[in-house]
Amino acid sequence: MELRQLEYFVTVAEEANFTRAAAKLHVAQPGVSAQVRRLERELGQELLDRSGRAVRLTEVGEAVLPYARAALAAVDGVRLAVDEMSGLLRGHVALGMVTSHDVDLPALLAEFHADHPGVEITLAEANTHELIEALRSGRLDAAIIAFGETLPPGLAIHSIIEERIVAAVGLDDELAAGTTIPLAALRDQVLISLPQGTGIRSIFDDACAAAGFAPRVAFEAGSPVVLAKLAARGLGAAIIPEGLARSRADLHTLMIDEPALRGGLALAWREDGPMSPAARALVERARRMP
């Protein structure tokens, strides 16, 4: 069994396609196919189902994949450990982030790159649910996620921003007469919210479910700023962070109570999983962000 075979197998599994895997590996497609076949012959089992348009893992392939990833990670770890002992920092860091955030990532990454030019960094943008799954599977080393009262199990987090979640309405809205609103009073209101799977939306949906109702979300957008603009136009009550609501002169802020809702942004990484020296250095730098 060769490391090259494991690398090719993992790449094909991730790309679900031999041609795309070959392009990613910068090798000819027949070579990828041949090496994966040799691995299957050595193991005595087919790892990939090639019968459909997309290549899929067989049951055996599903079982083998995490071990193949671990073997490749271990080899990378050996190289990185030697570099670290030699005073060098090289490698690759996969960083994820929620679609809309107030973290100055460009400044962080520019400073890190200036200190460690040998580290390659890739960025992925997704909602919090997808980022958490990517962290747990090892596809990401760290991610900026949204979080609420309940922290995701298996992850360590460093809080960056934490604030109340509020309802914001246009100045002419009938709700603008008050300063607070019970969560239950939003049951029949037309609401404007981030899509399902995002941090604030998950916190809000969970609170509504605990109160015994499903929210009436009429408009969804991936940016809290867009939600605020829709609310200012009188299209409903936007469920957004307090800081954003109070920063806009065209919105009236209603503090949600009974219960109050809180959310925030945090840097997250696997609590017990292996971490390369490069990823560890980036996490430590991020934790020092003001």
Side-chain angles (χ1 to χ4, degrees):
M1 186 182 302
E2 300 178 7
L3 288 173
R4 179 177 56 176
Q5 294 169 346
L6 296 178
E7 180 185 14
Y8 288 6
F9 162 63
V10 169
T11 307
V12 173
E14 291 174 346
E15 296 295 325
N17 183 280
F18 278 94
T19 302
R20 288 197 299 269
K24 186 173 182 179
L25 293 162
H26 305 291
V27 297
Q29 188 269 334
V32 175
S33 299
Q35 290 297 330
V36 174
R37 281 293 189 194
R38 287 176 188 169
L39 177 62
E40 290 175 320
R41 283 198 298 271
E42 183 173 345
L43 295 174
Q45 295 284 344
E46 287 196 348
L47 304 177
L48 299 170
D49 179 357
R50 303 162 173 80
S51 61
R53 295 185 64 183
V55 178
R56 299 181 182 277
L57 288 166
T58 64
E59 186 175 353
V60 175
E62 291 277 5
V64 168
L65 182 60
Y67 292 101
R69 283 178 170 152
L72 295 172
V75 173
D76 286 341
V78 169
R79 297 191 181 104
L80 291 170
V82 173
D83 283 346
E84 192 174 28
M85 293 298 292
S86 305
L88 302 173
L89 193 62
R90 303 183 187 279
H92 173 263
V93 180
L95 181 65
M97 57 185 176
V98 288
T99 304
S100 179
H101 58 80
D102 298 318
V103 181
D104 192 0
L105 263 183
L108 167 67
L109 298 181
E111 291 176 5
F112 185 82
H113 178 70
D115 291 340
H116 307 293
V119 177
E120 177 186 351
I121 301 174
T122 56
L123 291 175
E125 195 175 57
N127 65 42
T128 291
H129 175 74
E130 293 167 338
L131 293 174
I132 289 173
E133 289 304 311
L135 285 171
R136 286 174 175 159
S137 69
R139 299 193 307 274
L140 290 178
D141 296 301
I144 294 172
I145 65 170
F147 72 100
E149 298 289 340
T150 303
L151 301 180
L155 299 182
I157 73 161
H158 170 70
S159 179
I160 300 172
I161 300 170
E162 186 175 352
E163 59 184 328
R164 288 276 295 267
I165 298 170
V166 302
V169 296
L171 301 180
D172 296 330
D173 193 286
E174 59 181 16
L175 293 178
T179 57
T180 64
I181 186 168
L183 178 68
L186 295 172
R187 178 193 300 261
D188 298 319
Q189 296 296 324
V190 175
L191 302 176
I192 305 167
S193 176
L194 293 167
Q196 290 184 333
T198 54
I200 289 178
R201 177 64 180 274
S202 295
I203 295 166
F204 184 67
D205 283 351
D206 289 347
C208 292
F213 70 95
R216 248 181 92 195
V217 177
F219 299 95
E220 290 183 346
S223 166
V225 173
V226 173
L227 303 181
K229 291 179 178 180
L230 292 173
R233 291 286 186 175
L235 295 176
I239 308 303
I240 56 177
E242 180 183 4
L244 172 60
R246 294 198 182 280
S247 70
R248 296 187 62 95
D250 55 357
L251 287 179
H252 178 80
T253 302
L254 292 163
M255 304 301 291
I256 300 174
D257 59 15
E258 302 178 29
L261 304 182
R262 299 192 68 85
L265 294 175
L267 179 72
W269 61 96
R270 290 187 303 284
E271 192 168 26
D272 299 320
M275 182 175 286
S276 70
R280 186 165 60 249
L282 181 59
V283 166
E284 289 303 317
R285 175 69 63 92
R287 293 177 68 177
R288 297 196 297 269
M289 287 191 307

